[in-house]
Amino acid sequence: MSTYRSTAYSGLLPWQVRGHRFRRVWLGRRGLAPDEVYAFLDQVAGELATVQQALAESHRETARVKAALRDWQSARARARGGDR
């Protein structure tokens, strides 16, 4: 079973966060300090990469445990079949 996700949602990747550029604010208008914005985006991208790596490891571990459980169940079923 997998988690539902809309096909319209492709996910946000670290390189997309790091590469995003904001439009410039012209003189006389309020804006954000670009260096601060990009430093924050870089931090967010780093954390996103860490989370994605942990999630991938979790998926690998889940698959390993499921395979071990199937093997164990098969061995138990064979052992019970041999007792008859």
Side-chain angles (χ1 to χ4, degrees):
M1 176 167 28
S2 66
T3 305
Y4 170 77
R5 178 176 282 189
S6 169
T7 56
Y9 178 75
S10 61
L12 186 60
L13 301 173
W15 67 266
Q16 291 171 313
V17 174
R18 282 192 181 100
H20 185 79
R21 295 294 177 250
F22 297 90
R23 63 183 171 83
R24 294 201 158 193
V25 177
W26 302 106
L27 292 175
R29 296 182 71 193
R30 292 183 179 192
L32 302 173
D35 292 343
E36 289 181 26
V37 171
Y38 295 127
F40 179 73
L41 289 177
D42 195 45
Q43 179 182 354
V44 169
E47 300 225 0
L48 181 59
T50 300
V51 168
Q52 287 178 338
Q53 289 170 351
L55 182 59
E57 177 59 31
S58 176
H59 286 301
R60 286 190 295 272
E61 180 67 7
T62 299
R64 186 191 67 76
V65 168
K66 283 181 178 181
L69 178 59
R70 274 192 306 272
D71 292 347
W72 179 82
Q73 288 172 328
S74 295
R76 294 267 304 171
R78 282 191 303 272
R80 270 192 243 129
D83 290 344
R84 292 183 185 172

